[in-house]
Amino acid sequence: MEINKIQKVAVIGAGSMGHQIAMLCALGGFETYLQDIDDRSLEKAKEQLEVHMTRWVRKEKITEKEKVNAFSNLYMTTSIEMAAEDADLVIEAVVEKLDVKREVFAKLDQIVPKHAILATNSSTIVNSKIADVTKRPENVLNMHFFFPPLVMDCVEVVMSDKTSKETAQTAMDFCEQIGRTGVLLEKEIYGFIANRLLFALSKEAMYLYENGYADFKAIDTIAKKALSHPLGPFEIADLSGIDVGYYANMQLYQETGDPNDKPAKVVEEKVKAGHLGRKTGKGWYDYTIEKAIK
């Protein structure tokens, strides 16, 4: 399928990634449906997008007319049938759990037209582990946006050995259409490129912290001051969501059986306590204090 044949896009999941991906699609001129099973998530998504786009207008990144046009392209619904029916491209952005994604893809395969492309925004799980629940593995691939999608200019487009070149090229063209740089990976590997690099850094940071070599704040400071990283590994975990990294590590551990791939104990403790980072107000850092100061 060629890019000019994509008219309707569906984004499944209105969380921290999904609602921003949907807005990128709407800004790109596509009729876009954002679906979530929770009305409150959709309401929150709409409020957050209004704030983002108002800020963009104020900073002259877009005009007021472009903002109005984008919102006129964006529809929100709790019905996956309404969202995906007649969709040419579906981007799944649900929780980073393989069984949930497989369930969503199996349902989507029954709803969307035969020509539709099904993409997963998974940050680690290769699409071949999902595609087999569909009758269109050649139309399935990863489109991994980075958090936050409205800011980060990169999408990892990952092919399996069954993804067609036409599907991959259409995805790459779509990235360009919505103002994002698509980078093609012609071979699958768990975690892709960016997260494999990040995992290595995070794993070492956790080792240094858990073994008492330095406080997590000191490790973040060294990463920023000595390595010129914009954020330290613990700040990145808070930004992307500590639970996201936890589930990614659990998935890797389930695949390899290697105890070294299990999440660090301190990470598991934070997930169980609900301290997931910025989105919950507390993770490695306490953002409730930050808000109080402001």
Side-chain angles (χ1 to χ4, degrees):
M1 183 172 62
E2 298 177 358
I3 184 63
N4 59 9
K5 293 183 179 179
I6 294 182
Q7 301 295 323
K8 177 182 175 181
V9 179
V11 179
I12 310 302
S16 57
M17 294 293 290
H19 74 283
Q20 292 199 20
I21 294 171
M23 180 51 74
L24 284 175
C25 299
L27 285 165
F30 296 96
E31 178 186 357
T32 305
Y33 281 74
L34 177 61
Q35 185 272 340
D36 198 284
I37 59 175
D38 187 359
D39 270 318
R40 290 171 297 179
S41 295
L42 293 172
E43 290 171 6
K44 183 179 179 181
K46 186 175 182 180
E47 292 171 1
Q48 291 178 331
L49 290 175
E50 183 64 43
V51 171
H52 286 308
M53 293 302 101
T54 298
R55 186 181 298 128
W56 277 25
V57 171
R58 187 168 63 248
K59 291 183 177 181
E60 298 184 345
K61 294 181 69 173
I62 60 173
T63 65
E64 180 65 30
K65 183 178 180 181
E66 288 172 325
K67 172 190 169 183
V68 171
N69 287 342
F71 275 106
S72 70
N73 289 334
L74 183 60
Y75 304 87
M76 298 188 181
T77 179
T78 56
S79 169
I80 193 170
E81 289 80 9
M82 179 180 292
E85 185 180 22
D86 298 328
D88 304 299
L89 169 65
V90 181
I91 303 173
E92 166 271 312
V94 302
V95 66
E96 192 75 350
K97 292 184 178 181
L98 180 58
D99 58 339
V100 177
K101 292 181 184 294
R102 286 173 62 85
E103 183 179 339
V104 170
F105 268 67
K107 191 167 187 177
L108 286 170
D109 191 52
Q110 301 297 316
I111 300 170
V112 301
K114 290 183 179 180
H115 70 270
I117 293 174
L118 299 179
T120 173
N121 180 55
S122 174
S123 58
T124 55
I125 301 170
V126 295
N127 70 83
S128 61
K129 289 187 173 295
I130 306 171
D132 64 331
V133 301
T134 77
K135 297 177 181 178
R136 65 186 84 207
E138 69 282 0
N139 287 6
V140 178
L141 79 173
N142 292 82
M143 290 182 68
H144 174 218
F145 291 76
F146 290 83
F147 185 80
L150 286 171
V151 176
M152 299 296 286
D153 176 26
C154 188
V155 181
E156 290 178 320
V157 177
V158 188
M159 300 175 64
S160 74
D161 58 359
K162 293 185 179 180
T163 306
S164 73
K165 291 183 178 180
E166 182 183 6
T167 294
Q169 187 58 55
T170 300
M172 292 289 287
D173 292 342
F174 182 80
C175 291
E176 182 177 358
Q177 188 76 22
I178 63 174
R180 289 296 172 266
T181 300
V183 182
L184 183 63
L185 281 66
E186 298 185 38
K187 187 177 179 181
E188 290 184 319
I189 186 169
Y190 179 87
F192 319 135
I193 303 299
N195 275 330
R196 289 185 70 86
L197 297 174
L198 184 59
F199 287 163
L201 176 64
S202 178
K203 185 175 182 179
E204 186 62 25
M206 290 296 172
Y207 173 83
L208 293 169
Y209 170 73
E210 286 197 316
N211 286 276
Y213 291 101
D215 181 76
F216 69 88
K217 292 182 181 178
I219 296 171
D220 275 352
T221 298
I222 291 170
K224 291 185 289 185
K225 299 293 185 180
L227 303 179
S228 297
H229 291 186
L231 295 173
F234 296 91
E235 291 174 317
I236 291 174
D238 275 0
L239 179 64
S240 59
I242 292 173
D243 56 326
V244 175
Y246 172 79
Y247 290 129
N249 274 131
M250 284 301 295
Q251 179 63 35
L252 179 59
Y253 171 62
Q254 289 168 11
E255 291 185 19
T256 67
D258 186 346
N260 290 323
D261 291 329
K262 291 182 70 175
K265 289 183 179 179
V266 67
V267 172
E268 185 175 2
E269 290 169 0
K270 288 190 178 296
V271 171
K272 288 181 177 178
H275 298 159
L276 308 181
R278 287 183 176 270
K279 61 186 176 184
T280 60
K282 190 174 183 180
W284 290 101
Y285 295 86
D286 190 337
Y287 301 94
T288 58
I289 296 175
E290 184 180 287
K291 288 181 179 179
I293 293 174
K294 290 180 180 180

